[in-house]
Amino acid sequence: MLKVHNTLSRKKEEFEPLEGNHVRMYVCGPTVYDYPHIGNARSFAVFDTIRRFLEYTGYRVTYVTNFTDVDDKMIDRANRDGVAVSDLAAKFIAEYRQIADELNLKPATVNPRATEHIDDIVEMVGLILKNGKGYAVDGDVYFDVSELKEYGALSGINPEDLSAGARVDVDEKKQDPRDFALWKAEKPGEPSWESPWSKGRPGWHAECSVMGKHYLGIPFDIHGGGQDLIFPHHENEIAQSTAAYGEQPVKYWLHNGFLTINKDKMSKSEGNFATAREVLDNYDHQAVRFYLISGHYRQPLDYNDDALRQATQSVERIRNAVDSVRGRISILEKAGSREAEADEKLSEAIAKLSEGFVREMSDDFNTPGGIAEVFAFIRELNTLTPEVGGAAVLREALATLGVLLEILGLEMSEKKVGEGDSSSSEVLKGSIDLLLELREDARKAKNFATADKIRDRLAEIGVLVEDTKDGPTWKLK
Ligand code: AMP
Ligand code: ZN
């Protein structure tokens, strides 16, 4: 049974999709005004892992993640750089796609852009006004928070405590400082669209409400994003959807914790950030992905070189184990199978791995728990591999490991699991044949010490040499 922590109830709840086997999921995507930092990348990797686990569990997932391609940050940056907002968006959407590829994010079912949904936004704002939950002033439209008793339910923020200048914009046109903009009349140098109230542009919160509803219908199952989005962004999404459509838009709200530097939230505005680009340029891509999901998604994750070095070592340990298994498979393919106690033990370890991994991930996507299960298995695999007598169980080990690593977004090799590696097995066979030839040469030269040493050392690594009347042959122990 899968349990997920719902920010709305502040509890872990049993996960049950609203509609049979289908999970509808919306994750707030990047505002494409600059290079994403590694903190943004954490949010992307976390929700990709959650999606992958849901799919592994057997759900069909419709995964929507947007590009915020018009808002205050976009306009400020475009004006500063002297470029059109649309060109700025195109540049950083391309950059995001490159990063997404390197982090092995599964392509979303759809990546809508806010500017493609202006008509839908105008329609929603119209409904809010019609339902008496908003007001228009000089071409701007605001949401009237005082009309909504449940405002604050998601964030736990008491609306009475919100004062102007605290965490809400000050704007003398607002009836109440807590009210927020649904539509903003055009200012010089800003992109704008026609609407019944003014030529203007949507407020940021309106964009996500509308795109979620458009692609998923409401209510839908999961809405994700970083913890910084709980208030005001997601609180306001709930307010808008309930005011316009009379429904809570989302069943489960999931929020990732911050990636921090020296315990402070990584953020562009504070200047304490590393871009995803520079981190991916400096470290193995799989190690970066591993690092991003190595902590529990709701906990903070600190960014430092040490953490990335450790992630690199962890990925290396997995690769080494996989390589040894492949080597052993090719030896067994040449030499034939035999009965061995280790096979049974490995079979049990494989079952334990699957069971343990799924148990951990079913507890609110506990990736550190799942990863601990993987490494417990790797330790056993390293011990058992040289003792295993049949290739089948080793192939099963690789297949199981491959499937579970894929949930974490890790792919250990381009080779298909269990394919075997004919070139390395040829090299291995050739090397043993060569050693036996050298042993024969040593014997002919009466250098029996060297001949015996070769035989003994081969025995130590599991190769049994037998001298027959037709010359020496070898097989695996
Ligand atoms: P933005 O492009 O600023 O809209 O952010 C894209 C996503 O990254 C959002 O879900 C944010 O909540 C998330 N995010 C921003 N900063 C951090 C951080 N330091 N750690 C984790 N997630 C973050
Ligand atoms: Zn959003």
Side-chain angles (χ1 to χ4, degrees):
M1 184 188 54
L2 172 60
K3 291 204 154 187
V4 303
H5 182 271
N6 191 347
T7 309
L8 191 58
S9 65
R10 293 160 187 77
K11 283 203 288 275
K12 280 188 203 169
E13 296 176 14
E14 194 174 322
F15 182 73
E16 203 184 330
L18 290 154
E19 202 187 77
N21 195 37
H22 186 195
V23 176
R24 289 166 293 154
M25 182 169 179
Y26 183 97
V27 178
C28 287
T31 307
V32 282
Y33 73 109
D34 206 344
Y35 293 96
H37 60 59
I38 192 73
N40 302 133
R42 179 184 191 196
S43 188
F44 310 149
V46 155
F47 286 103
D48 179 67
T49 304
I50 290 176
R51 174 221 189 146
R52 285 167 180 265
F53 184 66
L54 290 168
E55 287 176 342
Y56 167 82
T57 312
Y59 293 117
R60 178 167 72 84
V61 180
T62 302
Y63 189 87
V64 179
T65 184
N66 68 295
F67 294 121
T68 298
D69 62 347
V70 60
D71 79 339
D72 295 345
K73 283 189 219 162
M74 293 287 303
I75 292 168
D76 290 350
R77 178 65 189 257
N79 288 343
R80 212 171 71 217
D81 292 359
V83 296
V85 170
S86 55
D87 290 342
L88 185 74
K91 175 177 172 184
F92 288 112
I93 287 175
E95 178 64 23
Y96 168 85
R97 291 199 188 280
Q98 179 63 34
I99 300 285
D101 194 45
E102 291 175 27
L103 287 174
N104 199 20
L105 305 183
K106 264 186 104 164
T109 313
V110 53
N111 287 115
R113 300 166 60 154
T115 54
E116 297 164 345
H117 289 279
I118 304 291
D119 289 352
D120 300 329
I121 295 169
V122 167
E123 188 189 315
M124 182 186 76
V125 175
L127 279 173
I128 293 173
L129 287 176
K130 186 167 148 258
N131 294 340
K133 303 283 165 61
Y135 53 92
V137 194
D138 303 338
D140 291 334
V141 183
Y142 293 98
F143 190 94
D144 183 356
V145 168
S146 68
E147 283 296 310
L148 215 68
K149 281 191 293 298
E150 60 273 40
Y151 190 75
L154 182 73
S155 56
I157 289 173
N158 179 355
E160 306 298 319
D161 296 344
L162 288 173
S163 58
R167 299 172 75 178
V168 290
D169 297 333
V170 191
D171 182 341
E172 63 268 21
K173 288 187 203 163
K174 291 182 186 177
Q175 291 173 2
D176 184 309
R178 300 169 300 168
D179 295 348
F180 58 89
L182 296 167
W183 186 261
K184 299 181 179 193
E186 174 184 25
K187 295 196 193 91
E190 291 188 357
S192 62
W193 292 262
E194 296 292 343
S195 84
W197 316 287
S198 62
K199 238 176 145 255
R201 63 185 170 95
W204 171 39
H205 317 306
E207 299 177 355
C208 281
S209 277
V210 159
M211 287 184 277
K213 176 170 184 294
H214 183 91
Y215 291 96
L216 301 171
I218 61 165
F220 58 86
D221 299 292
I222 296 179
H223 194 318
Q227 282 169 356
D228 54 335
L229 300 187
I230 298 173
F231 186 86
H233 187 49
H234 292 162
E235 192 73 66
N236 292 353
E237 275 192 47
I238 295 178
Q240 292 163 159
S241 296
T242 40
Y245 314 117
E247 288 213 64
Q248 274 279 338
V250 173
K251 188 169 181 189
Y252 305 99
W253 286 91
L254 270 60
H255 292 99
N256 66 272
F258 294 136
L259 193 124
T260 55
I261 295 191
N262 299 324
K263 310 282 176 231
D264 289 330
K265 181 195 173 207
M266 180 176 284
S267 103
K268 279 266 155 62
S269 52
E270 296 302 316
N272 60 341
F273 66 90
T275 61
R277 175 75 280 131
E278 64 186 278
V279 179
L280 284 161
D281 284 348
N282 285 327
Y283 294 94
D284 180 291
H285 297 174
Q286 303 250 355
V288 178
R289 168 78 189 216
F290 183 94
Y291 158 71
L292 291 173
I293 49 122
S294 60
H296 189 273
Y297 78 92
R298 287 193 289 120
Q299 300 300 321
L301 179 71
D302 208 44
Y303 172 76
N304 53 64
D305 283 341
D306 224 31
L308 275 140
R309 271 198 292 271
Q310 273 177 31
T312 307
Q313 281 169 11
S314 298
V315 166
E316 211 40 46
R317 266 171 66 203
I318 299 174
R319 279 188 190 138
N320 289 341
V322 168
D323 282 350
S324 307
V325 173
R326 288 214 176 97
R328 181 73 187 167
I329 288 173
S330 50
I331 289 176
L332 291 171
E333 273 167 352
K334 297 286 170 240
S337 301
R338 62 175 173 80
E339 294 265 313
E341 228 178 90
D343 296 36
E344 177 83 26
K345 285 192 190 154
L346 185 54
S347 248
E348 284 163 16
I350 295 167
K352 196 161 160 271
L353 167 67
S354 282
E355 199 262 326
F357 186 91
V358 171
R359 186 189 59 237
E360 294 298 332
M361 289 293 283
S362 300
D363 180 13
D364 194 27
F365 312 105
N366 183 8
T367 50
I371 288 169
E373 295 289 326
V374 167
F375 280 103
F377 177 73
I378 295 283
R379 275 193 294 281
E380 247 186 295
L381 189 63
N382 285 338
T383 315
L384 292 173
T385 298
E387 314 274 318
V388 167
V393 71
L394 291 173
R395 283 205 198 90
E396 195 193 330
L398 289 188
T400 303
L401 194 59
V403 167
L404 301 183
L405 291 173
E406 211 178 301
I407 296 171
L408 302 175
L410 302 171
E411 278 166 12
M412 282 305 118
S413 152
E414 321 73 62
K415 281 181 233 111
K416 292 214 180 64
V417 167
E419 212 174 43
D421 182 340
S422 57
S423 67
S424 72
S425 83
E426 286 307 315
V427 170
L428 188 87
K429 188 170 170 300
S431 307
I432 296 175
D433 289 344
L434 173 66
L435 282 168
L436 291 193
E437 253 177 68
L438 292 174
R439 178 168 169 266
E440 284 311 288
D441 291 349
R443 270 151 54 122
K444 279 181 197 141
K446 306 228 177 315
N447 186 351
F448 296 112
T450 302
D452 288 351
K453 186 174 172 188
I454 292 173
R455 188 198 56 214
D456 294 346
R457 293 300 299 275
L458 282 172
E460 275 170 40
I461 60 165
V463 180
L464 275 190
V465 177
E466 270 181 48
D467 293 306
T468 69
K469 60 180 182 342
D470 301 324
T473 61
W474 61 273
K475 64 176 189 197
L476 293 172
K477 259 205 262 185

